[in-house]
Amino acid sequence: MSDKKVMAVKAKKLYEPKGDVLISVRNLDKTFKETIHAVRNVSTDIHRGEVVVIIGPSGSGKSTFLRCINLLEVPTAGSIIMDGEDIMAKTADINKYRQKVGMVFQHFNLFDNLNVIQNMIIAPTKLKHESDAAASQRAMNLLERVGLADRAEAYPSQLSGGQKQRIAIVRSLCMEPEVLLFDEPTSALDPEMVGEVLEVMKQLAAEGMTMVVVTHEMGFAREVADRVMFMADGALIEEGTPEEIFDDPKSDRLKDFLSKIL
């Protein structure tokens, strides 16, 4: 690293949370079939307006941890607290919680038998009981933002992979979530389509959307993340600013991982 770059890294402030804690995760464990320990005692806080990027080798528990936050996987142990409520408690309203937590998947998960606008309004009309007109207006406004208003009547089979993923992102935004979770959103895309999806995510980050992103896109992590979490073997090994993680890793496990991908 050049002296100039070293000075720039040292001059930058250490990570400071942007806002209040939105989701607090404590001692989270997830075991499958009592033998596969996918997530091991992970604790972290996600702050409002923060962009958290989770990196690590395949099979490290990144996606399972993300799915646990949204209760698509039910944790074996630990707690997930949002707005002062442990959403793992028997009395918790899980459906209400999920309306606050949007999820963008690797493979889009669009309904093939519905066109774009129908895919976007089905959740707000069914779950939040919004009118078709109100939900459609919001959907069109979001499609305008990502340059796909002209595809509102198209079906998923008529869209490119990049278009499908942009639709999936704004479909989640139709529910007006407080946080968006991204599970490797570009890994199923052809290389030339990755940029258009990352650009939408960068725009959301710039607008203050709280985001937790599992990704192999290290350039995105460096540029956009407020905090990077490195997971391996189900455990949270190290976390810090992008500069701390990529330029000054502490653990041998992280150093080894970075040596293979950078």
Side-chain angles (χ1 to χ4, degrees):
M1 189 184 301
S2 68
D3 291 342
K4 183 180 290 187
K5 189 171 183 181
V6 169
M7 290 177 63
V9 170
K10 289 182 176 179
K12 184 170 181 177
K13 290 183 179 180
L14 294 178
Y15 167 72
E16 295 178 0
K18 288 190 171 183
D20 298 335
V21 174
L22 178 61
I23 299 175
S24 182
V25 180
R26 288 292 174 270
N27 307 116
L28 195 74
D29 261 64
K30 176 60 180 178
T31 303
F32 293 100
K33 298 181 180 179
E34 299 182 357
T35 58
I36 302 173
H37 209 161
V39 178
R40 301 171 182 267
N41 196 35
V42 174
S43 297
T44 193
D45 290 330
I46 299 164
H47 295 79
R48 294 184 189 277
E50 182 182 32
V51 178
V52 179
V53 173
I54 306 174
I55 63 172
S58 297
S60 61
K62 308 183 301 294
S63 292
T64 301
F65 173 70
L66 198 72
R67 291 171 67 86
C68 282
I69 292 179
N70 202 28
L71 293 188
L72 293 175
E73 297 287 356
V74 179
T76 307
S79 63
I80 303 171
I81 299 170
M82 184 175 189
D83 296 331
E85 180 181 14
D86 186 348
I87 57 93
M88 288 174 57
K90 293 181 179 180
T91 56
D93 187 340
I94 295 175
N95 289 328
K96 184 177 180 181
Y97 169 75
R98 283 180 175 152
Q99 291 179 26
K100 300 178 182 179
V101 183
M103 186 88 178
V104 179
F105 300 90
Q106 179 178 347
H107 292 290
F108 325 128
N109 286 19
L110 300 176
F111 295 106
D112 291 334
N113 62 321
L114 302 179
N115 65 26
V116 166
I117 202 75
Q118 291 168 335
N119 264 284
M120 294 181 68
I121 72 172
I122 188 170
T125 55
K126 298 294 185 183
L127 299 178
K128 297 177 72 174
H129 307 293
E130 290 187 5
S131 68
D132 284 0
S136 295
Q137 183 60 59
R138 182 184 302 113
M140 286 303 301
N141 290 340
L142 289 167
L143 287 173
E144 288 277 2
R145 286 179 55 184
V146 297
L148 291 173
D150 62 331
R151 308 300 284 158
E153 301 297 328
Y155 285 81
S157 61
Q158 300 171 306
L159 303 173
S160 70
Q163 289 174 330
K164 289 178 184 178
Q165 195 60 293
R166 283 185 282 162
I167 296 298
I169 293 172
V170 293
R171 178 186 58 178
S172 292
L173 291 174
C174 279
M175 288 295 287
E176 300 182 308
E178 295 186 39
V179 58
L180 273 183
L181 310 179
F182 294 82
D183 188 6
E184 300 193 18
T186 61
S187 62
L189 300 178
D190 292 334
E192 65 268 22
M193 297 177 183
V194 170
E196 63 191 50
V197 173
L198 293 180
E199 196 57 42
V200 172
M201 295 171 65
K202 291 175 185 178
Q203 180 182 349
L204 290 173
E207 293 171 359
M209 171 60 71
T210 308
M211 299 162 59
V212 184
V213 185
V214 170
T215 186
H216 294 289
E217 299 289 340
M218 297 301 126
F220 176 85
R222 277 186 175 275
E223 180 181 353
V224 181
D226 296 298
R227 175 163 50 103
V228 178
M229 297 171 57
F230 170 67
M231 292 185 66
D233 303 316
L236 175 57
I237 304 298
E238 194 168 338
E239 64 180 329
T241 64
E243 291 83 3
E244 290 169 328
I245 292 298
F246 292 109
D247 298 329
D248 189 25
K250 301 295 190 298
S251 67
D252 290 339
R253 188 69 182 85
L254 176 55
K255 290 176 183 177
D256 179 65
F257 172 74
L258 294 176
S259 71
K260 294 175 180 177
I261 64 169
L262 297 180

